[in-house]
Amino acid sequence: MSGLGSPDLEVVDGRGLRVVVVAASWHPAVVDGLVAGAHRALDEAGVTDVTDVRVPGTVELTVAASAAARAGADAVVALGVVVRGGTPHFEYVCQSVTHGLTEVALRTGVPVGFGILTCDGEAQALDRAGLPDSREDKGAEAATAAVATAIALRALGRVS
């Protein structure tokens, strides 16, 4: 199970943070669950300044996350899903978005919560989407990680 060994992230005080949730449009049942989970976690952290942005696919998350970071977001939560098929497309998309979102965070200094599911099938994606029957809530985890990192960066002297 992918959650094995995951940290028990405490809820942090995210009041005053500007957070942008960028989400892909493919696999709407899964992505809508991820977005709902992210919003639950942001609400729990006290984040009230939240903007949602939808893009066509997972590859487009990178440019949207970059624009959000450059526009003044304190944290970005990137949400999408890539389901393995019968071609190498899966590997190309997963590598591209992972590298791209990492670059956004490094170049801008704005944390990007990585909520991209890379799954072998639809059932596996649904199990991680934070839906009522899901075992995991990766949208909430990505949002919590982004907010916690933004708070940690503030403690290091980065003014947001």
Side-chain angles (χ1 to χ4, degrees):
M1 180 166 176
S2 67
L4 185 64
S6 65
D8 187 17
L9 293 176
E10 294 181 22
V11 175
V12 294
D13 184 356
R15 288 178 292 178
L17 292 179
R18 288 185 57 208
V19 177
V20 177
V21 176
V22 294
S25 297
W26 278 78
H27 304 282
V30 174
V31 175
D32 289 349
L34 294 171
V35 170
H39 278 274
R40 282 190 299 275
L42 294 171
D43 287 344
E44 194 172 326
V47 177
T48 58
D49 189 351
V50 180
T51 302
D52 288 331
V53 175
R54 287 287 183 139
V55 296
T58 302
V59 170
E60 292 79 24
L61 292 171
T62 302
V63 69
S66 179
R70 287 183 282 117
D74 296 305
V76 176
V77 181
L79 304 171
V81 62
V82 185
V83 176
R84 186 179 305 277
T87 69
H89 181 259
F90 175 85
E91 283 80 13
Y92 300 141
V93 171
C94 293
Q95 182 178 26
S96 170
V97 74
T98 301
H99 179 74
L101 292 174
T102 301
E103 282 293 313
V104 168
L106 291 173
R107 290 181 190 268
T108 65
V110 174
V112 178
F114 191 85
I116 312 304
L117 304 183
T118 55
C119 301
D120 289 324
E122 186 80 13
Q124 191 179 57
L126 289 166
D127 199 35
R128 295 176 178 172
L131 300 168
D133 293 332
S134 299
R135 290 189 294 170
E136 297 180 87
D137 190 348
K138 295 301 185 182
E141 289 179 23
T144 300
V147 170
T149 304
I151 298 303
L153 291 175
R154 277 192 175 168
L156 292 172
R158 178 181 173 263
V159 178
S160 296

